[in-house]
Amino acid sequence: MKSVIYHAFSQKEADELDVQHSGVQQAEAFVRAFLRRSMPHMSRQAREDQLQRKAVVLEYFTRRKRKEKKRKSRGLSARQRRELRLFDIKPEQQSLFLPLHELWKQYIRDLCNGLKPDTQPQMIQAKLLKADLHGAIISVTKSKCPSYVGVTGILLQETKHVFKIVTQEDRLKVIPKLNCVFTVEIDGFVSYIYGSKFQLRSSERSAKKFKAKGTIDL
Amino acid sequence: MAGPVKDREAFQRLNFLYQAAHCVLAQDPENQALARFYCHTERTIAKRLVLRRDPSVKRTLCRGCSSLLVPGLTCTQRQRRHRGQRWTVQTCLTCRRSQRFLNDPGHVLWGDRPEAQLGSQAEE
């Protein structure tokens, strides 16, 4: 019965049906990727051991599971950061962030209720203070460190002291906010951001009221 | 409601961050860290300004690690039976935290009930 269902192809049949014998390495790579996808919590070593049918030492999973769930439902801050919330950029990704930039433009247009209201630039500035800048195209105009001047790119992450930007050459640049002047452009409306006053996490920025304090300079 | 202006801007910002996280994840399914960062920012803003979110939106965010949950990609969804009731269990793959939702055809969410309609229309 088996020979009726499973029957080795002859060479002619294989050519007719266009069945390609994929190489051994490709098959192995496929299997490894599939296993990695389906069992992400096992380490690579454990997976290799499973493939070679080595004896894997199991721990007391039942106890561990209960302990994990009974811990604090929020927090776990140290562990969270260990999971690398900061990301590793791979090349050829600047083009992937263009739709994000389009989304940002639409959001800002919606926020200002119009393309270019000639009436009040101050209103737009006030709204920009509370707005979110992720996905904007930012360039550095003035800076105390001359190597930063002229860097342009899409803003990916904004943390307390730093902007993370992808440039046109698909490189991830980390630019400190201190002593820098950034330019944001929206629909022909250019505004300057003095980074020294912006030393806040972006989420705190929307909650805080800004006062004009001190000189506005680098 | 007192002072709807600031709230509306904040809500727009939350909305934008949520859409941006979806957009980034759609472009690059492997790289979840950026989506997680956006959702974490979103959660901090909502906490700081004490904004209420719709339960359908809250369910797609993980409460432990604040990553965006997409069934099949970032989390697993299973149907379980427990004490004669049907629950849907969502487990986040990064922090292994599970959420259980009662799956009862007779249960209607508070937001969908006619008594709550007036409130939501006044907000809009």
Side-chain angles (χ1 to χ4, degrees):
Chain A
M1 194 59 188
K2 249 199 211 170
S3 59
V4 179
I5 306 175
Y6 296 113
H7 177 61
F9 272 174
S10 71
Q11 195 61 31
K12 258 199 293 182
E13 278 172 355
D15 286 335
E16 267 178 54
L17 299 172
D18 204 18
V19 171
Q20 279 167 359
H21 183 65
S22 58
V24 177
Q25 280 164 356
Q26 275 180 342
E28 270 190 28
F30 174 74
V31 169
R32 289 226 166 85
F34 177 69
L35 283 179
R36 184 167 68 99
R37 204 68 203 282
S38 42
M39 299 193 289
H41 56 273
M42 284 175 79
S43 67
R44 205 173 62 91
Q45 195 55 40
R47 262 177 245 133
E48 298 287 315
D49 287 343
Q50 284 275 347
L51 275 180
Q52 296 173 11
R53 319 255 167 146
K54 279 191 202 161
V56 178
V57 178
L58 293 174
E59 297 147 4
Y60 272 120
F61 269 128
T62 46
R63 268 209 182 166
R64 281 263 173 109
K65 267 186 185 170
R66 259 185 242 157
K67 265 192 187 172
E68 274 182 27
K69 278 187 184 171
K70 270 191 183 171
R71 271 186 195 162
K72 268 193 274 180
S73 40
R74 303 170 225 158
L76 297 182
S77 54
R79 254 195 233 173
Q80 269 180 355
R81 257 142 239 172
R82 227 194 286 155
E83 281 172 34
L84 291 176
R85 269 218 250 96
L86 321 164
F87 55 105
D88 43 345
I89 263 255
K90 287 164 278 183
E92 43 139 0
Q93 278 203 356
Q94 143 104 148
S95 48
L96 292 184
F97 291 116
L98 286 177
L100 179 66
H101 180 60
E102 294 298 315
L103 193 67
W104 183 81
K105 275 202 270 197
Q106 273 177 21
Y107 157 65
I108 293 286
R109 265 177 225 152
D110 201 18
L111 198 60
C112 308
N113 306 321
L115 285 182
K116 197 179 178 184
D118 305 296
T119 46
Q120 293 168 9
Q122 280 173 3
M123 204 176 65
I124 294 199
Q125 279 168 16
K127 292 206 168 170
L128 267 183
L129 277 182
K130 302 247 171 185
D132 198 70
L133 296 174
H134 290 114
I137 288 194
I138 281 207
S139 42
V140 184
T141 34
K142 298 192 218 165
S143 169
K144 267 194 179 169
C145 172
S147 59
Y148 284 138
V149 179
V151 176
T152 315
I154 297 185
L155 220 192
L156 294 177
Q157 246 189 344
E158 183 184 344
T159 61
K160 196 170 172 196
H161 301 294
V162 159
F163 281 146
K164 289 199 188 173
I165 294 185
V166 182
T167 57
Q168 290 283 341
E169 301 156 14
D170 311 326
R171 282 176 62 189
L172 176 67
K173 289 249 174 187
V174 176
I175 301 189
K177 287 186 198 171
L178 198 57
N179 303 324
C180 271
V181 180
F182 298 96
T183 306
V184 183
E185 188 184 329
I186 174 75
D187 279 339
F189 195 85
V190 172
S191 61
Y192 296 105
I193 297 183
Y194 289 89
S196 325
K197 310 288 175 191
F198 249 55
Q199 301 266 321
L200 282 181
R201 271 186 293 165
S202 61
S203 38
E204 315 285 327
R205 209 173 1 112
S206 75
K208 182 179 167 168
K209 301 179 194 167
F210 273 94
K211 301 177 194 168
K213 196 167 35 163
T215 55
I216 304 186
D217 200 6
L218 265 190
Chain B
M1 270 188 71
V5 183
K6 282 180 229 161
D7 284 357
R8 199 193 301 159
E9 281 183 5
F11 273 117
Q12 273 183 324
R13 187 173 172 178
L14 283 184
N15 185 22
F16 163 67
L17 276 174
Y18 187 67
Q19 286 181 10
H22 268 291
C23 172
V24 165
L25 216 60
Q27 297 291 322
D28 185 18
E30 282 289 330
N31 187 7
Q32 296 154 14
L34 189 53
R36 200 178 294 142
F37 177 76
Y38 287 159
C39 293
H40 178 72
T41 316
E42 208 182 322
R43 219 167 45 141
T44 320
I45 296 180
K47 239 200 231 178
R48 195 58 63 160
L49 297 174
V50 196
L51 303 170
R52 281 202 91 161
R53 322 217 57 204
D54 197 55
S56 58
V57 167
K58 265 199 277 194
R59 281 178 194 189
T60 54
L61 303 173
C62 174
R63 268 199 247 174
C65 61
S66 65
S67 48
L68 187 59
L69 296 176
V70 173
L73 185 58
T74 342
C75 76
T76 61
Q77 250 188 352
R78 297 280 178 262
Q79 303 274 340
R80 292 250 153 83
R81 257 182 307 120
H82 182 68
R83 286 196 211 156
Q85 286 163 327
R86 297 185 293 196
W87 300 78
T88 307
V89 181
Q90 254 188 345
T91 315
C92 169
L93 285 178
T94 34
C95 62
R96 316 253 325 270
R97 190 198 152 85
S98 59
Q99 275 177 304
R100 286 182 306 180
F101 305 114
L102 187 52
N103 188 7
D104 181 15
H107 174 75
V108 182
L109 276 178
W110 168 250
D112 296 332
R113 285 200 198 151
E115 297 139 3
Q117 281 302 330
L118 264 185
S120 62
Q121 273 182 13
E123 271 182 30
E124 276 177 10

